[in-house]
């Protein structure tokens, strides 16, 4: 992937991360709740204790933006603020991860993502 495309994608993810902050602001929670919950989706890495396939599946479930959007919409639709909050956090976390190069996991290795290998240049 060329550096200019990589930067363009990171800008897109930054926009989505900022959108999650804006959405959070409208939920009425205290400001500290967002950073306090932002890393919780990474608990999904517990699946790697079983094996890489289970780990990747569970990790991807909690880091897929469509899942986050569906949870957010269901929470909004049924006025369940905790569910809406969960969707916003999942969406923001996934965007933040992608800014730093952490993509959806492939089942062969934790460091192998849809964005390439974590920690390699090129």
């Amino acid at each position: 992937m060329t550096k200019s495309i990589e930067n363009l994608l990171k800008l897109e993810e930054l926009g989505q991360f900022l959108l999650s902050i804006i959405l959070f602001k409208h939920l009425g929670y205290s400001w500290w709740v967002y950073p306090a919950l932002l890393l919780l989706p990474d608990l999904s890495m517990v699946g790697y204790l079983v094996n890489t396939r289970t780990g990747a599946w569970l990790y991807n479930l909690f880091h897929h933006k469509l899942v986050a959007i569906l949870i957010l919409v269901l929470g909004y639709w049924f006025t369940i603020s905790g569910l809406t909050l969960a969707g916003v956090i999942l969406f923001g976390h996934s965007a933040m991860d992608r800014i730093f190069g952490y993509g959806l996991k492939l089942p062969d290795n934790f460091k192998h993502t849809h964005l390439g290998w974590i920690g390699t240049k090129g």
Side-chain angles (χ1 to χ4, degrees), residues 39-53:
L39 296 179
L40 277 181
D42 280 339
L43 290 175
S44 63
M45 287 188 276
V46 71
Y48 282 96
L49 295 173
V50 176
N51 59 44
T52 56
R53 181 171 296 284

Side-chain angles (χ1 to χ4, degrees), residues 1 27 29-30 35 41 52 55 60 62 66 70 79 95 102 104 112-113:
M1 182 171 359
L27 295 179
Y29 289 92
S30 296
T52 56
N60 291 342
F62 282 87
L66 182 58
L70 290 174
T79 58
Y102 297 99
L104 297 175
H112 194 191
T113 78

Side-chain angles (χ1 to χ4, degrees), residues 15-25 34 38 88-89 91-93 95:
Q16 292 176 32
F17 181 71
L18 293 174
L19 174 62
S20 75
I21 293 171
I22 291 166
L23 291 172
F24 173 80
K25 181 182 178 298
Y34 188 88
L38 192 58
V88 168
I89 294 298
F91 186 77
H93 176 88

